[in-house]
Structure formats: structure tokens, C-alpha cells
Amino acid sequence: MHPEHNSNSLVGFSRRHKGYYLMNRYKFLFSNTVLFFISSFSSKFLVFLLMPIYTAVLSPAENSDVSLMMQTANLLIPLVSLGISNSIIRFGLDDKYSKKTVFTTAALTLAAGYVILLCFFPLLNKVEFIHKYIWLLYLYLLMSCSRTLVQQFVRAKTYTKLYAFDGILATVNTLILVCVFLLKFKWGAMGYIGAIIGADFLSVVFLSVIAGVWKYFDLSKLNKAVAKEMLSYCIPLIPASVAWWITNVSDRYLVAYFCGNTVNGIYDISYKLPSIINVFATIFTEAWQISAVKESGAGHTSRFFGNVFKAYQSVVFIGGAGIILLCKPLISLLADKAYFDAWQFVPVLIMATIFSCFSGFMSSIYMVEKRGGLNLATMMAGAVTNVALNLVLIPKMGAQGAAIATFASYVVVFVLRAVNTKKFININISPVQMLLNVALMGGMSYIMIADITHYIVYCAVITLVIIALNTRALLVFAKQLLRSLLRKRKA
């Protein structure tokens, strides 16, 4: 099978370009990161644009209802789609597979999963916080899964400019619909969810028409062997996604159960600041996945992975320290005063997010090696740790106990992955530097939460130390990138 090329493809790649890639791997990663940043920045930061609106309109208890419903949808998405989006990007980027075969298999898998979901309508309708939003839940799942299907295929086709424009368009659509549904029609929680559904629908229509995605649905191209290989790759990732959900989200349900909806609504807002790091981590990951797949079989893979991880680690630690330092004014700026107490959970959640980012980087090795079983095993270990600690700490420490449990569980996942990925790609994670960074951020978090006198001065000094400690790795990566950018282009 021959790779399909298109004039819109910015980073088309084939075997005859392997030599070019090896010489320009840093430029390749950098250019893709910039393009995905353009495509994702506006949509990822939409949450911060909307926070002043929906926190002013929704009470903490209502925000808790919306959060629990949408997190339930996030749990159901990999189950409904059988995690097929993971196969789209992995197999769609591989020139060995027909794009029509990949897309047709993915679309049929999603359709089958949604039909099965419809059979569970009576059961889901009995869940208290879902009952009044049941039809919105089904529409949300359909539109979210459909948009992911089309988006991932556009990424696999490397139509990065189109992907970028869709991200901006979706942001504008969501913002307009939220303002109309919440501020004009006063639809409250239902209006907020409806706005997201509407924006996803418009995105599906736009990408399908402009990219001609429908042309790739061809039942004659359905290949049982390829379908089996795609499902064999993605199905083991479903429980891994569920385990990730448990690690990242289950604390919201337990906080609501032990502490009430009001506390949970405030705790949910505290997740918004760590999501700043997640925004950039997700953007980088989208670009990194392409490089990781292309790196398979290339020379000096361990050194390349190691250099990228050191730079990634430095950016994440510096960003995390900055957010901890500014968490109080940021919460005041972004949320209504009823949610101000959310700042006290931010420092620990920032540290949890940092290790979540590191764990995500290590999972790229499993993707390259197609080791979904190891991905599952490590996430299950994190999920079990998270639930156990939540049950112990939340009754004693409230929502802060949930934050600590989340941090501990992601540390477990990262350590396990750092150890068992060495047999595939031996990355130097610089453990001494990492431990020093963690110790500094731990001290900074304690000073903030304990509200020690002149805390801002101590935290500012620690932030400067963290910046100084991580500057060298960034300079080394910048030097490698500069060499790659200046090197003559060779086919």
C-alpha cells in the first residue's frame, strides 16, 4: 500500500524521507508543536474564558452537578468508542495501512459502540445526577466521539492547518453558544452542556466537508486483518483509560459523597489552574506522538527521547512553580468570589499534574512498542492507589486529602513506567534533578497552604531557584533545535 499525499499535508512522511527526518528530528518536533499549539491553544484555554461566566451564573452545587455529569461522559467515551481513536492516530500515521481501511474500521466501531450504549438507557436513567440530563448525555457522547473520530483522522492525514483552524472555530462557536444559552436564555447547567454539544456538531460538519472525510468511508476497503490489529491495539487501552479516569476524576465523586456538593463544586474549580499545565502538555503530546512513531527504528532514539524529556521536565516544573506562586490572584481573577477557597487545593494538584505529564510522556513508549498491556497495568496500579487513599484521607482531611491521593497515585504510575520502559528505550530521567525539583515544590506548597507570614517572598525565591535549576536543560535542547533549523534541508 502506498502513502496518500495531499497538498494540504505539512509533514507528510514516508520511508524515503527517513534520512531527512533523522537529521531534522528536533525541527520536526518543534514545527509540529507550534502547529498544534496554534490549533489547540484557543480551544484548550476556552475553559478560562468561560470560568467568569459560568461561575457567576451557576452555584457551587450546580457546578458540581455539571462536573459530575461531564466526568461520567468522559468515563463512557472510551467504552462507547472502544478506544478506537488511539488506533486512528497510530495506524493512520503508518504508511503501511490504507487510510480508507483505517477510517472505515473506526467509524463502524464507533457506530456499534453507540448502539450498545442505547441499550443501557434504562440503567443510566436511574442514576440521580444523570436523570435530568440523560438526553443531553447521549447527545454529548455522540457529538464528542464523532468529533474525536474526525479530528484524529485529520491529524493522521497531517492536515495540520485545517486542524488548527478548526480549533479556533470551535472556540468561537462554544463561546457564542455559552453566552446565548447562559446569559440570554438563562438555561443554566443545561445551557452550558448544550453549548458544548452544539460546538462539537458544527466542528464535525466543518471538518467532514472541508477535508472530505466522508470519501474515506468505503465498506469495500474493510480489511478483517487490519480491523483485528486495530482493535487488538486499542481494546487493551480501554481499561487503561478507565483507570486513568479513576485516578484523575473519582475523587470528585468521593468529595461530593463525604463533603457535599458545595465543597465539591469549589474543589472542581481548583482543577482549572493545573489544567493550564495540561493544556501545554496535551499540545506537546499531540506533536510528540507523531515524532515518537516516526522515531521507531531510527538511530540514537534513547538520546533523542532523553533530551526531549529533560526539556519537557524543565518546562513543566517551571510552569508549575509559577502557577503555585500566583494561585490566589489567578483564582480571584478567573472565578466568582464564592469559589475563592479553591486556591488551597491548587499546590498539591499542580504537583499531581506534573507527574501526570511525566506519566503521559512515558506512555508514548508503550504506543511506539504497541504495549497496551503495560500501559493498563501501570494505570491500574495508580487507580487502586488513588481509590484506597481517597477512602482513607477524604474523611480525615476533606478535599485536601483527595488532592494528596491524586498526587501519590500519579507518582506511583510514573515510577512504574520509568522502570519498565527502560527495556524498550532507556531514557535518562535525571532522578537527582527531579527529586530536588519535587522537594522545592513540596516546600513551596507547604508554605502556601500553611499561609506562613510573608509566604509570597519565600515562594518567589523558591520559584527563582527552580528556574535556575532547570535552565540548563532548556538551553541544551534549544542548541539542538537551532542546529536542526540551520542544517540544510536534504531529501
Side-chain angles (χ1 to χ4, degrees):
M1 299 178 185
H2 299 285
E4 300 172 46
H5 295 284
N6 188 290
S7 59
N8 290 328
S9 177
L10 185 68
V11 289
F13 189 93
S14 65
R15 291 179 184 86
R16 60 197 176 98
H17 295 133
K18 178 68 79 174
Y20 169 77
Y21 169 74
L22 290 176
M23 292 187 295
N24 295 276
R25 56 189 11 153
Y26 290 95
K27 179 182 176 181
F28 185 82
L29 174 60
F30 177 73
S31 62
N32 280 337
T33 302
V34 171
L35 285 165
F36 284 123
F37 177 82
I38 294 171
S39 71
S40 301
F41 181 82
S42 58
S43 60
K44 300 297 183 185
F45 266 86
L46 178 65
V47 63
F48 304 107
L49 296 175
L50 296 179
M51 274 180 66
I53 299 175
Y54 70 76
T55 57
V57 174
L58 305 179
S59 68
E62 289 175 317
N63 181 60
S64 177
D65 281 343
V66 172
S67 174
L68 292 178
M69 198 285 286
M70 296 187 72
Q71 295 301 345
T72 301
N74 290 336
L75 169 64
L76 292 173
I77 285 172
L79 300 176
V80 173
S81 64
L82 295 181
I84 199 66
S85 62
N86 296 296
S87 287
I88 297 173
I89 191 67
R90 179 63 183 85
F91 289 81
L93 283 169
D94 195 326
D95 294 333
K96 293 190 304 181
Y97 302 94
S98 164
K99 298 294 188 292
K100 288 186 177 181
T101 299
V102 171
F103 182 77
T104 302
T105 301
L108 290 176
T109 301
L110 175 58
Y114 196 78
V115 169
I116 294 172
L117 177 69
L118 291 173
C119 299
F120 286 89
F121 182 92
L123 179 63
L124 289 173
N125 199 33
K126 292 181 179 180
V127 180
E128 182 179 352
F129 62 85
I130 291 178
H131 173 71
K132 53 186 174 181
Y133 305 119
I134 186 68
W135 289 110
L136 284 175
L137 173 64
Y138 270 81
L139 283 173
Y140 179 91
L141 287 168
L142 177 61
M143 288 299 104
S144 181
C145 290
S146 299
R147 188 185 182 205
T148 299
L149 169 70
V150 177
Q151 275 189 318
Q152 292 293 77
F153 189 70
V154 167
R155 276 184 66 202
K157 289 288 292 178
T158 63
Y159 293 168
T160 46
K161 291 180 181 178
L162 177 60
Y163 184 84
F165 185 77
D166 174 70
I168 297 170
L169 183 64
T171 301
V172 173
N173 289 336
T174 305
L175 190 59
I176 292 173
L177 291 174
V178 166
C179 290
V180 172
F181 292 171
L182 263 67
L183 301 181
K184 182 176 177 61
F185 295 151
K186 309 293 184 183
W187 286 351
M190 296 182 69
Y192 180 71
I193 300 168
I196 297 173
I197 294 171
D200 281 349
F201 171 75
L202 293 173
S203 180
V204 170
V205 173
F206 171 74
L207 289 175
S208 298
V209 171
I210 300 301
V213 172
W214 57 272
K215 296 177 183 178
Y216 291 89
F217 185 81
D218 187 348
L219 292 176
S220 68
K221 295 294 183 180
L222 193 61
N223 183 305
K224 290 183 179 180
V226 174
K228 182 178 180 181
E229 190 175 356
M230 289 177 65
L231 292 172
S232 296
Y233 172 74
C234 68
I235 287 177
L237 297 177
I238 297 174
S241 297
V242 173
W244 177 90
W245 181 90
I246 292 172
T247 303
N248 201 50
V249 177
S250 63
D251 55 350
R252 254 69 73 87
Y253 292 84
L254 292 172
V255 168
Y257 177 77
F258 286 112
C259 307
N261 274 349
T262 299
V263 173
N264 185 52
I266 294 171
Y267 180 66
D268 178 72
I269 291 298
S270 68
Y271 266 92
K272 306 305 181 185
L273 294 189
S275 68
I276 295 175
I277 297 176
N278 269 331
V279 165
F280 290 100
T282 301
I283 291 170
F284 171 78
T285 299
E286 289 176 341
W288 172 244
Q289 285 177 342
I290 298 176
S291 286
V293 172
K294 302 304 183 187
E295 192 67 18
S296 179
H300 307 296
T301 298
S302 293
R303 186 171 66 184
F304 177 61
F305 272 58
N307 288 341
V308 173
F309 181 75
K310 287 177 183 177
Y312 182 57
Q313 176 186 166
S314 298
V315 171
V316 170
F317 274 124
I318 291 172
I323 295 173
I324 292 175
L325 178 66
L326 300 174
C327 65
K328 285 187 178 182
L330 285 174
I331 287 290
S332 296
L333 177 66
L334 295 172
D336 189 78
K337 61 182 180 180
Y339 294 86
F340 179 71
D341 286 345
W343 75 264
Q344 62 190 300
F345 311 121
V346 171
V348 178
L349 289 176
I350 287 288
M351 296 183 67
T353 301
I354 287 172
F355 278 92
S356 171
C357 293
F358 295 163
S359 299
F361 186 94
M362 292 297 170
S363 72
S364 66
I365 300 176
Y366 296 142
M367 182 187 73
V368 171
E369 300 294 330
K370 298 181 181 177
R371 299 297 181 116
L374 289 174
N375 190 26
L376 168 60
T378 52
M379 278 311 307
M380 285 300 298
V384 171
T385 302
N386 182 262
V387 172
L389 289 178
N390 273 327
L391 292 173
V392 172
L393 296 178
I394 293 177
K396 295 180 179 180
M397 304 175 64
Q400 195 66 264
I404 294 172
T406 301
F407 167 65
S409 59
Y410 274 120
V411 170
V412 169
V413 174
F414 170 70
V415 170
L416 290 175
R417 290 183 175 179
V419 171
N420 67 32
T421 55
K422 285 186 176 295
K423 58 189 174 184
F424 306 118
I425 299 175
N426 188 9
I427 299 178
N428 179 11
I429 64 172
S430 303
V432 174
Q433 181 176 349
M434 180 177 289
L435 288 172
L436 185 54
N437 274 307
V438 171
L440 288 168
M441 293 196 69
M444 188 177 180
S445 299
Y446 173 77
I447 290 170
M448 283 290 299
I449 296 170
D451 204 18
I452 293 175
T453 306
H454 306 306
Y455 73 89
I456 194 68
V457 176
Y458 297 125
C459 290
V461 171
I462 293 174
T463 300
L464 292 175
V465 173
I466 290 174
I467 293 173
L469 182 64
N470 291 280
T471 299
R472 184 176 181 277
L474 293 177
L475 292 176
V476 169
F477 184 81
K479 183 179 179 181
Q480 295 283 0
L481 175 61
L482 186 60
R483 285 178 179 174
S484 182
L485 291 173
L486 294 177
R487 188 177 288 121
K488 289 183 179 181
R489 297 173 62 91
K490 295 181 181 179

